[in-house]
Amino acid sequence: MEKTSYSQNDYAALLGSNIPKALVEDKSMRFDDAEDASVFFARELDHVKAQSYDVVYPELTALTLFPISNEVSPGAETVTYYSYDRTGVAKIINNYATDLPRADVKGKPTTAYVKSVGDSYGYSVQEMRASRLAGKSLDVRKAEAARYAADYALNKIAWVGDKANGLIGVLSPENDIPLFTVPVGKTSGKTTWAEKTADEILEDLKEMQKQVARTTKNVERPDTLVLPADVHIEISTRQIPNTGYTVKKFLLENAPYIKDIVSAAELQADAEETNPYSAQGKNVALLFKKDARKLSIEHPLPFYQYPLQAKGLEIEVPCEARTAGAIIYYPLSALIAVGV
């Protein structure tokens, strides 16, 4: 990235501090004046910020798996939404009938709090001298570490919420998504998919889909299955005897409505921070409809880096993001399977 632009706020903060003067006084820096030094490092910082925005961490699956919404204003302290259940049936009527049955939607209000996640990074004058002397840019890894720390917190909240702060996650027990307890296989005598036969795994998914269909009168049709990483590997490599199909390939081609089967390490039995059933030593699977009208992660303020703040002979860049956790409009469009 060519460093030709810079933030006027960063430039002004640098110029008003003691940092440019300290750099100019060092003859090895080859700066003509404080303004020259301020412009140079404002451009450097602009490059650092741009690089950190480009970083994608695939292991934080919630940030790429679920629809992300930015509808709520960053200034909001709370957001109230409704989880819905359709009601009513139509019937045959006579001419001039006045007793038409009412079709409606029942909504239960839920209020979620909007909370900030924050951290920072910075550079000392000596680090700025070193980067200039070596002809290298400022260390981008500091900004990337700040971005990762914020995303890590947002990912955890998306999965399990933060009860102390009134935030709900996709796996939070209080979110009204139904549970499915994985049964013992008739042949294997086991419950986990790693130990079950291919036929037993297929039967489990069929029963999961049937539970959603029964509960919603087949209105909801989940299309995405999320599995713990080790279970996903298992079904991706397990062959169904005499077919040439893996379990995953067979499911994608034959299971009704299923469009995608993906992995998430956050669902594994040892993922204590993101799997609320890890205390029971159980893997979790999630079956859901990938549709922002059904479920989304609300981020009123995506990761944002404020103008730098000069503190003595150091510059600090404050970072913030705001989240309301998971907003689940139709809880019955998803299903949590415990014990896969």
Side-chain angles (χ1 to χ4, degrees), residues 197-260:
T197 66
D199 286 341
E200 289 171 338
I201 294 173
L202 300 176
E203 183 68 19
D204 283 349
L205 181 58
K206 182 181 75 174
E207 290 303 316
M208 289 166 64
Q209 291 184 297
K210 285 170 65 176
Q211 178 172 322
V212 176
R214 283 194 304 268
T215 304
T216 67
K217 302 296 188 291
N218 204 33
V219 170
E220 301 296 350
R221 299 176 178 181
D223 58 14
T224 303
L225 176 64
V226 193
L227 297 171
D230 53 352
V231 176
H232 183 263
I233 292 172
E234 184 70 33
I235 70 164
S236 298
T237 55
R238 175 87 66 84
Q239 296 284 327
I240 300 176
N242 306 316
T243 65
Y245 278 78
T246 63
V247 175
K248 178 179 178 179
K249 182 179 179 182
F250 184 87
L251 291 174
L252 286 173
E253 293 188 11
N254 295 279
Y257 320 124
I258 297 295
K259 297 178 181 178
D260 201 7

Side-chain angles (χ1 to χ4, degrees), residues 39 66 70 86 102-103 138 147 150 193 225 251 254 270 289:
V39 168
F66 301 116
N70 309 119
R86 294 180 177 89
R102 176 66 63 89
L138 293 173
R147 174 66 187 270
W193 284 12
L225 176 64
L251 291 174
N254 295 279
D270 59 356
K289 177 74 171 179

Side-chain angles (χ1 to χ4, degrees), residues 268-286:
Q268 293 178 182
D270 59 356
E272 297 179 1
E273 289 192 330
T274 53
N275 178 0
Y277 302 92
S278 63
Q280 304 171 27
K282 293 184 177 181
N283 285 333
V284 170
L286 176 69

Side-chain angles (χ1 to χ4, degrees), residues 6-28:
Y6 60 87
S7 165
Q8 286 290 340
N9 290 328
D10 289 341
Y11 166 72
L14 276 167
L15 190 60
S17 70
N18 293 323
I19 294 173
K21 181 181 177 182
L23 294 170
V24 171
E25 289 175 351
D26 188 336
K27 302 304 179 184
S28 66

Side-chain angles (χ1 to χ4, degrees), residues 151-162:
D151 284 352
Y152 188 91
L154 295 173
N155 183 70
K156 180 180 176 182
I157 291 170
W159 280 113
V160 293
D162 187 322

Side-chain angles (χ1 to χ4, degrees), residues 19 22-26 28-29 31 41 124-135 138 313:
I19 294 173
L23 294 170
V24 171
E25 289 175 351
D26 188 336
S28 66
M29 293 293 95
F31 288 124
F41 281 107
S124 67
V125 167
Q126 178 54 33
E127 289 173 319
M128 298 168 78
R129 288 193 190 105
S131 70
R132 171 68 165 172
L133 191 63
L138 293 173
L313 295 181

Side-chain angles (χ1 to χ4, degrees), residues 23-331:
L23 294 170
V24 171
E25 289 175 351
D26 188 336
K27 302 304 179 184
S28 66
M29 293 293 95
R30 299 187 179 89
F31 288 124
D32 294 332
D33 50 33
E35 183 177 354
D36 186 25
S38 297
V39 168
F40 179 83
F41 281 107
R43 286 175 174 168
E44 285 286 299
L45 196 58
D46 186 72
H47 172 69
V48 168
K49 289 182 177 181
Q51 288 291 96
S52 70
Y53 281 122
D54 290 340
V55 174
V56 177
Y57 300 98
E59 67 268 29
L60 303 178
T61 55
L63 304 183
T64 54
L65 176 62
F66 301 116
I68 302 295
S69 169
N70 309 119
E71 292 180 14
V72 177
S73 168
E77 295 291 342
T78 61
V79 52
T80 298
Y81 63 96
Y82 287 78
S83 54
Y84 294 103
D85 183 20
R86 294 180 177 89
T87 63
V89 293
K91 66 179 183 180
I92 296 175
I93 61 174
N94 297 320
N95 291 340
Y96 311 110
T98 59
D99 59 340
L100 297 178
R102 176 66 63 89
D104 209 339
V105 173
K106 289 183 178 179
K108 183 183 75 172
T110 300
T111 298
Y113 293 93
V114 182
K115 296 294 182 179
S116 290
V117 171
D119 57 13
S120 66
Y121 63 95
Y123 302 94
S124 67
V125 167
Q126 178 54 33
E127 289 173 319
M128 298 168 78
R129 288 193 190 105
S131 70
R132 171 68 165 172
L133 191 63
K136 297 181 179 179
S137 296
L138 293 173
D139 191 350
V140 175
R141 288 175 294 183
K142 289 191 174 188
E144 290 177 350
R147 174 66 187 270
Y148 181 83
D151 284 352
Y152 188 91
L154 295 173
N155 183 70
K156 180 180 176 182
I157 291 170
W159 280 113
V160 293
D162 187 322
K163 192 170 184 179
N165 287 292
L167 300 176
I168 291 177
V170 174
L171 299 181
S172 297
E174 60 272 19
N175 65 16
D176 294 334
I177 292 179
L179 296 180
F180 175 86
T181 301
V182 179
V184 175
K186 294 179 181 179
T187 302
S188 66
K190 305 294 183 180
T191 59
T192 64
W193 284 12
E195 300 172 293
K196 281 188 167 183
T197 66
D199 286 341
E200 289 171 338
I201 294 173
L202 300 176
E203 183 68 19
D204 283 349
L205 181 58
K206 182 181 75 174
E207 290 303 316
M208 289 166 64
Q209 291 184 297
K210 285 170 65 176
Q211 178 172 322
V212 176
R214 283 194 304 268
T215 304
T216 67
K217 302 296 188 291
N218 204 33
V219 170
E220 301 296 350
R221 299 176 178 181
D223 58 14
T224 303
L225 176 64
V226 193
L227 297 171
D230 53 352
V231 176
H232 183 263
I233 292 172
E234 184 70 33
I235 70 164
S236 298
T237 55
R238 175 87 66 84
Q239 296 284 327
I240 300 176
N242 306 316
T243 65
Y245 278 78
T246 63
V247 175
K248 178 179 178 179
K249 182 179 179 182
F250 184 87
L251 291 174
L252 286 173
E253 293 188 11
N254 295 279
Y257 320 124
I258 297 295
K259 297 178 181 178
D260 201 7
I261 300 176
V262 298
S263 67
E266 293 91 340
L267 301 183
Q268 293 178 182
D270 59 356
E272 297 179 1
E273 289 192 330
T274 53
N275 178 0
Y277 302 92
S278 63
Q280 304 171 27
K282 293 184 177 181
N283 285 333
V284 170
L286 176 69
L287 183 65
F288 77 105
K289 177 74 171 179
K290 195 168 186 177
D291 185 339
R293 295 170 297 179
K294 307 290 185 180
L295 176 158
S296 66
I297 308 300
E298 185 63 48
H299 287 167
L301 178 67
F303 181 74
Y304 180 75
Q305 301 178 75
Y306 287 95
L308 68 88
Q309 297 178 4
K311 297 183 177 181
L313 295 181
E314 181 184 39
I315 61 170
E316 181 182 274
V317 180
C319 305
E320 183 189 15
R322 284 178 66 74
T323 183
I327 305 296
I328 305 171
Y329 300 105
Y330 291 91

